Amino acid sequence: MTADAPRPVVRVSDLHKSFGEREVLRGIDLEVQAGEVVCVIGPSGSGKSTLLRCVNLLEQPTSGRIELLGAEVTDPDVDIDRVRTHVGMVFQQFNLFSHKSVLENCTMAQRTVLRRSRAEADRVALANLERVGLADRAHAMPAQLSGGQQQRVAIARALSMDPQLMLFDEPTSALDPELVGDVLGVMRDLADAGMTMLVVTHEMAFAREVGDRVVFMDDGTVVETGPADEVIGAPREERTRTFLQRVLDPTHQSPTG
Amino acid sequence: MTVDLAASAGRARMSPRRRARLSRGVQYVVLLVVLAVLLSTADWSTVGQTIFNPAAAGEMLDRLPRAFLNTVTYTLAAFAVGLSLGTVLALMRLSSVAPYRWISTAYVEFFRGIPALLVVIAVGYAVPIAFGIALSSIIAVAAVALGSVSAAYISETLRAGIQAVPRGQVEAARSLGMSHTRTMIQVVLPQAFRTVMPPLTNEVLLLTKDTSLLFVLGQTPAYFELTKVGRDALSTASGGLTGLFVVGACYLVITIPLGIVARRLERRTGGHA
């Protein structure tokens, strides 16, 4: 990638997405600069996962424009496989290849897409497994690992492609509470190392501490965006305040429609 | 008002465990009675003469190895065609290209709907007449005729297997930059085949038995398969139906170990996430 300093890694403009009649995204504008960690928060059904999935075209946007690393992915003739090579994605359900070992999970795309030699792919994979603290489980099968371990392997698998940008889709939502910390720790290390990250999360503490910027979404629009401390610590919008109150103090809620 | 179960214990009905034991006892008794009736009503001297006649069985012994081998060969040839064509058809059925889907659907509906015997006759006699090409060996006819019928069933089985692979597996592969085709070959198909192992085993067993249909081709003795040998034994020897029972046992010698191997394989490749 050429180092045009001001060009953002991600630029989303006026993004719309409908599933049939239902409009899930109603005009989203978002930019992520190199090295920035942007956390997207909001109630379930607000469209934050759909936004993330649109960024690497797992969902086809209905209209709008998305640029990734200078390539316009909304162009019908884009070589999306090539763009995705530079963008790592981590899913809520881990999605490790269940018929392959941990090491093979991390080497498959390196070998077939990047055409790395077996030795090279193994070396990169082991280095990344080391990074997430699981080098000793390289020959285990995914089903033998805990959820937290599987998610860390998924992160290592994405990192093995040397991505310029990492997308996280609620990476800790499917985990038992005591396993969340390991995954967040890995993500924090990643952020500290300068990785550009777009994270959809319900972990407010993580968003506040690790996130450079927080985007609050509700009902398919961006309601509020700003430095993490401001949006979570002193939200300007009423909707943001209500949401944060419900998330941060769930035991003192009266049921509402 | 609290419930006191101890107080009402006296008039409690029979416990579920006792009821289950009683009902199982009744079932065993019924089974024994049925067996006893069958054994006592059969005419054993005639049975020994016409169904399990050792002399008649001995007479056909020299033709069995050849026929056994032929049956296995025909099965393997047909399965090779069935599996590869079936995989192509399954992928076509799931393709985003509409004509591929139509072709696949039409093929499956056609070959599922007509008796395999007709296909064997068609390939054996009609094709040579229509196209002037005679399939040189019975193996080729078996592969083409039984293979194309089997492909229809295998494609449907495999389609279900492919659709059972979680969408997340595809999304993970695609998000790593793997192409649609690469994803199919390396992620979807291996998992799909693992899922459909049991019905696929069924397909091989059915195929093994379907090779008996090849008798209509009236081949030379070197190409006889098991059923043909059994039928011939019917008309020549004095052993009555013995020939059929002997070849029946031969089929079991093929199918039962196959079932055991498949079960092993299934256990070894199991361990779904």
Side-chain angles (χ1 to χ4, degrees):
Chain A
M1 284 296 127
T2 48
D4 286 357
R7 194 181 66 198
V9 176
V10 183
R11 177 185 284 148
V12 175
S13 30
D14 197 29
L15 177 66
H16 289 257
K17 171 69 185 173
S18 301
F19 291 108
E21 294 282 285
R22 210 162 59 85
E23 195 173 23
V24 181
L25 298 178
R26 316 160 182 261
I28 303 282
D29 296 288
L30 178 72
E31 283 191 0
V32 181
Q33 304 294 332
E36 204 179 16
V37 177
V38 175
C39 293
V40 184
I41 62 171
S44 60
S46 58
K48 47 194 195 308
S49 281
T50 306
L51 166 63
L52 198 73
R53 293 164 57 82
C54 278
V55 168
N56 72 350
L57 241 55
L58 285 183
E59 300 289 354
Q60 189 69 43
T62 308
S63 69
R65 185 182 164 91
I66 300 172
E67 284 169 66
L68 270 190
L69 304 159
E72 192 201 336
V73 297
T74 36
D75 177 347
D77 286 322
V78 69
D79 181 355
I80 189 62
D81 290 338
R82 186 157 165 265
V83 178
R84 281 173 177 154
T85 308
H86 302 287
V87 180
M89 174 117 184
V90 175
F91 301 85
Q92 184 176 349
Q93 298 297 341
F94 329 134
N95 295 347
L96 292 183
F97 304 131
S98 55
H99 62 304
K100 294 284 183 188
S101 73
V102 164
L103 186 65
E104 287 165 332
N105 260 276
C106 298
T107 54
M108 185 195 283
Q110 289 192 67
R111 306 252 297 137
T112 60
V113 180
L114 302 180
R115 305 241 161 255
R116 286 177 180 160
S117 69
R118 175 182 292 277
E120 167 80 351
D122 282 355
R123 194 185 57 72
V124 174
L126 281 171
N128 282 299
L129 285 170
E130 182 71 44
R131 196 169 175 183
V132 301
L134 287 170
D136 56 326
R137 304 307 307 272
H139 298 287
M141 295 302 281
Q144 298 169 319
L145 303 181
S146 73
Q149 290 173 327
Q150 289 192 44
Q151 192 61 297
R152 285 186 280 151
V153 172
I155 294 174
R157 174 174 70 179
L159 290 178
S160 294
M161 302 295 285
D162 299 323
Q164 304 286 305
L165 165 71
M166 285 285 287
L167 305 173
F168 291 86
D169 187 4
E170 302 200 25
T172 59
S173 297
L175 297 178
D176 289 336
E178 81 273 20
L179 302 176
V180 169
D182 292 342
V183 172
L184 292 183
V186 167
M187 290 168 64
R188 175 197 291 271
D189 290 347
L190 207 51
D192 290 345
M195 177 62 74
T196 312
M197 292 162 59
L198 185 55
V199 186
V200 170
T201 185
H202 288 293
E203 298 292 335
M204 293 305 142
F206 176 85
R208 188 163 185 171
E209 285 172 40
V210 181
D212 297 308
R213 208 145 52 80
V214 166
V215 174
F216 173 69
M217 281 181 67
D218 192 12
D219 201 21
T221 55
V222 172
V223 175
E224 186 168 352
T225 173
D229 262 334
E230 276 177 32
V231 176
I232 296 178
R236 292 187 307 273
E237 299 287 331
E238 180 57 37
R239 275 195 280 176
T240 318
R241 264 198 294 275
T242 317
F243 170 74
L244 285 170
Q245 200 189 15
R246 294 174 72 91
V247 172
L248 297 175
D249 189 13
T251 48
H252 290 94
Q253 291 297 312
S254 51
T256 55
Chain B
M1 185 62 196
T2 55
V3 175
D4 185 0
L5 287 175
S8 61
R11 42 195 177 77
R13 32 190 209 132
M14 198 188 277
S15 81
R17 189 177 65 102
R18 286 187 186 175
R19 242 182 303 155
R21 214 157 45 173
L22 181 68
S23 116
R24 206 173 323 137
V26 171
Q27 288 168 35
Y28 286 148
V29 169
V30 170
L31 200 67
L32 286 176
V33 169
V34 169
L35 211 61
V37 168
L38 283 179
L39 289 178
S40 62
T41 49
D43 179 353
W44 287 107
S45 65
T46 325
V47 166
Q49 191 49 235
T50 63
I51 301 183
F52 298 116
N53 187 329
E59 254 170 56
M60 56 191 293
L61 218 53
D62 57 324
R63 272 165 296 158
L64 277 182
R66 180 80 241 176
F68 189 91
L69 195 69
N70 282 340
T71 294
V72 172
T73 311
Y74 299 154
T75 305
L76 288 180
F79 187 63
V81 171
L83 190 62
S84 22
L85 186 58
T87 307
V88 173
L89 285 168
L91 292 175
M92 283 170 73
R93 182 67 179 266
L94 295 170
S95 162
S96 53
V97 184
Y100 284 170
R101 290 201 301 273
W102 299 335
I103 292 172
S104 172
T105 309
Y107 182 97
V108 169
E109 291 306 331
F110 182 76
F111 279 97
R112 269 203 313 197
I114 57 174
L117 183 61
L118 293 193
V119 182
V120 172
I121 294 174
V123 174
Y125 296 115
V127 169
I129 293 171
F131 298 99
I133 37 168
L135 291 168
S136 50
S137 72
I138 304 290
I139 298 182
V141 177
V144 173
L146 297 179
S148 14
V149 174
S150 173
Y153 290 98
I154 289 177
S155 85
E156 282 296 278
T157 305
L158 202 52
R159 177 173 66 92
I162 291 173
Q163 286 173 323
V165 175
R167 214 162 65 104
Q169 295 284 315
V170 176
E171 290 184 348
R174 298 305 307 275
S175 74
L176 286 164
M178 291 169 66
S179 68
H180 178 78
T181 312
R182 271 260 157 251
T183 304
M184 259 302 164
I185 294 171
Q186 293 208 284
V187 176
V188 178
L189 283 179
Q191 296 190 35
F193 273 113
R194 202 174 61 180
T195 316
V196 301
M197 192 71 96
L200 221 48
T201 310
N202 252 346
E203 203 49 54
V204 183
L205 299 187
L206 290 174
L207 215 44
T208 309
K209 295 181 292 175
D210 276 355
T211 54
S212 62
L213 299 172
L214 296 168
F215 82 90
V216 295
L217 298 175
Q219 335 86 330
T220 51
Y223 289 114
F224 284 177
E225 41 70 52
L226 285 170
T227 301
K228 177 78 175 165
V229 169
R231 284 165 54 91
D232 288 354
L234 279 190
S235 48
T236 55
S238 54
L241 298 167
T242 304
L244 285 187
F245 279 80
V246 170
V247 298
C250 287
Y251 279 107
L252 290 181
V253 168
I254 300 174
T255 55
I256 291 177
L258 203 61
I260 294 173
V261 168
R263 235 168 295 151
R264 285 258 170 78
L265 213 59
E266 215 178 298
R267 214 175 312 147
R268 205 167 54 87
T269 57
H272 275 254

